[in-house]
Amino acid sequence: METAKKVIFSGVQPSGNITLGNYLGAIKNWVELQKDYYCNYAIMDLHSITVRQNPKELKKRTLDLLKLYIACGINPDENLLFVQSHVSAHAELAWILNCYTYMGELSRMTQFKDKSKKHSNNINAGLFTYPVLMAADILLYQTDLVPVGVDQLQHIEIARDIAIRFNSIYGDVFKIPEGFIPKTGAKVMSLQDPTKKMSKSDENPKAYISMMDDFDSIAKKIKSAVTDSEGIVAYKEGKDGINNLMGILSSITGESMESIQNRYVGRGYGEFKSEVAEAVVECIRPIRQKFDELSGNNDYLEKIYTESAEKARSVANRTLKKVYKKIGFVV
Ligand code: AQP
């Protein structure tokens, strides 16, 4: 790369409207890291079709996600914001890496097990090889750092294993990436079942906060979040619902769990939930304002994703060509 800065790759699937979990676990960090890194933030449409998508909605959500990246504070002039399927090297490298990945290691992936249960009528091969495509996404850009929520840590590990395996056969082809997990917000849990992570494709909309929800329903969802009957705001084992709300508040405001706990001695869940609701609404409000400003500005968005994809292709194809040569393909 013609850059002295270290490289980041990350992305979100346009498989639903992004949640507060996606924001606090990933995108919020992307914004902070963009100062110091050369960042590639993609919209992972190839990944999203491992689960059936409605074509019209997928198209709309892809552009909405680009708007959200910018609205959240990613600077499109300094980072690459592109659509994964616009850079064909992702699919091409994924095929190759499939041949260097074992069925056994893919069978151990928690996401595959969870999604197979959830979509038992569509356990497709893409769902199984999802981590290989993710490895290709990361390795194409000679990535140093991958900022993700904790649920993706296992996939980063397998990407590293594949890269190390490939390098051990062919020499130093890929940079070995590191995961970057935030201290708070790394795993925002469902509001209705706080033992499960918050997911944008959850069937129950009360379980997640979408960045596109209206502010009244955000407040309602937080106020009806499942907690416990103890009535004490404290971070401890077994209090999954309260732990989750405390984590959300801490991640948004930067206040420590201890300080939140101390402030709430002798006060009830009602007051606490109101504060969390207000913090979430105030966190999302400016993002939504910027999102609305970008709506209707399709030429601007098209320019961003087209120019970014062009630059991304040039970097990605360089790595792909190196891989082809090492394997012995005629290039
Ligand atoms: N609940 C979460 N808490 C913290 N981080 C999260 N992430 C996802 N859920 C949480 C992080 O968001 C980034 C993008 O995720 P993704 O869209 O690529 O896939 P995902 O992890 O499968 O996210 P969802 O919302 O659960 O999507 P669906 O419902 O389609 O499966 C990743 O960095 C992820 O860690």
Side-chain angles (χ1 to χ4, degrees):
M1 312 249 354
E2 305 94 343
T3 172
K5 281 187 177 177
K6 289 195 167 183
V7 177
I8 277 183
F9 183 93
S10 199
V12 174
Q13 304 178 69
S15 46
N17 287 321
I18 63 166
T19 67
L20 187 66
N22 300 131
Y23 177 68
L24 297 179
I27 301 176
K28 187 165 175 273
N29 287 301
W30 301 359
V31 177
E32 282 158 24
L33 292 162
Q34 68 182 330
K35 291 191 291 293
D36 302 318
Y37 289 83
Y38 185 85
C39 303
N40 301 277
Y41 294 132
I43 296 157
M44 314 310 284
D45 55 348
L46 294 176
H47 281 279
S48 72
I49 61 162
T50 52
V51 169
R52 283 288 178 268
Q53 303 291 338
N54 172 306
K56 252 195 193 150
E57 280 174 22
L58 180 60
K59 199 167 177 181
K60 177 179 182 307
R61 281 200 231 106
T62 301
L63 282 186
D64 280 354
L65 196 46
L66 176 62
K67 281 189 260 176
L68 271 170
Y69 283 2
I70 301 168
C72 287
I74 313 275
N75 181 350
D77 298 326
E78 303 213 342
N79 305 289
L80 299 190
L81 302 183
F82 61 95
V83 181
Q84 185 188 24
S85 63
H86 292 183
V87 183
S88 57
H90 290 250
E92 292 166 285
L93 182 62
W95 169 255
I96 291 176
L97 296 182
N98 268 321
C99 304
Y100 296 81
T101 307
Y102 300 114
M103 303 284 284
E105 55 191 348
L106 289 175
S107 321
R108 288 195 290 275
M109 295 294 113
T110 315
Q111 180 178 287
F112 173 68
K113 290 185 204 159
D114 289 349
K115 291 212 167 162
S116 303
K117 257 192 233 147
K118 207 163 146 192
H119 304 279
S120 54
N121 58 347
N122 180 23
I123 307 177
N124 60 70
L127 197 59
F128 189 63
T129 59
Y130 180 114
V132 184
L133 178 58
M134 183 163 156
D137 302 331
I138 297 167
L139 300 177
L140 275 174
Y141 299 94
Q142 304 295 346
T143 300
D144 294 281
L145 203 68
V146 191
V148 284
V150 85
D151 62 309
Q152 292 296 334
L153 206 52
Q154 206 183 18
H155 290 165
I156 308 259
E157 277 307 315
I158 197 172
R160 286 168 56 88
D161 291 345
I162 296 168
I164 291 168
R165 185 173 304 142
F166 197 92
N167 284 355
S168 74
I169 306 171
Y170 300 106
D172 271 348
V173 178
F174 298 124
K175 172 91 61 77
I176 310 300
E178 300 282 342
F180 179 92
I181 311 290
K183 284 196 190 78
T184 53
K187 195 170 187 185
V188 177
M189 308 307 276
S190 153
L191 297 178
Q192 290 300 310
D193 176 359
T195 59
K196 265 179 30 192
K197 87 164 180 145
M198 182 181 281
S199 271
K200 60 176 115 62
S201 60
D202 199 307
E203 277 157 19
N204 180 359
K206 284 186 177 168
Y208 60 84
I209 295 188
S210 157
M211 301 297 281
M212 305 308 289
D213 278 343
D214 67 72
F215 299 145
D216 278 351
S217 53
I218 292 178
K220 275 192 198 128
K221 285 182 186 184
I222 292 178
K223 286 177 186 166
S224 63
V226 170
T227 51
D228 55 73
S229 54
E230 204 181 36
I232 298 170
V233 178
Y235 191 90
K236 68 175 192 208
E237 219 186 310
K239 288 176 72 71
D240 300 313
I242 289 294
N243 294 348
N244 188 34
L245 295 179
M246 287 176 77
I248 290 173
L249 186 60
S250 166
S251 175
I252 291 174
T253 63
E255 185 179 4
S256 70
M257 297 292 196
E258 200 186 3
S259 162
I260 298 171
Q261 191 166 317
N262 291 340
R263 281 199 299 113
Y264 274 93
V265 172
R267 296 160 76 192
Y269 289 168
E271 237 183 309
F272 173 60
K273 284 180 167 177
S274 295
E275 184 183 343
V276 178
E278 198 182 325
V280 172
V281 167
E282 291 317 314
C283 162
I284 295 180
R285 191 189 299 280
I287 297 174
R288 284 286 288 286
Q289 206 171 334
K290 182 91 200 241
F291 178 90
D292 290 342
E293 282 165 27
L294 287 164
S295 297
N297 213 340
N298 285 354
D299 290 348
Y300 171 65
L301 297 170
E302 190 177 332
K303 184 170 181 291
I304 291 169
Y305 70 67
T306 309
E307 289 180 2
S308 289
E310 203 175 311
K311 291 182 190 153
R313 270 196 295 272
S314 121
V315 179
N317 285 339
R318 218 177 306 158
T319 301
L320 188 65
K321 198 167 175 192
K322 195 167 172 188
V323 168
Y324 278 16
K325 274 190 191 158
K326 291 281 185 184
I327 292 178
F329 289 175
V330 176
V331 290

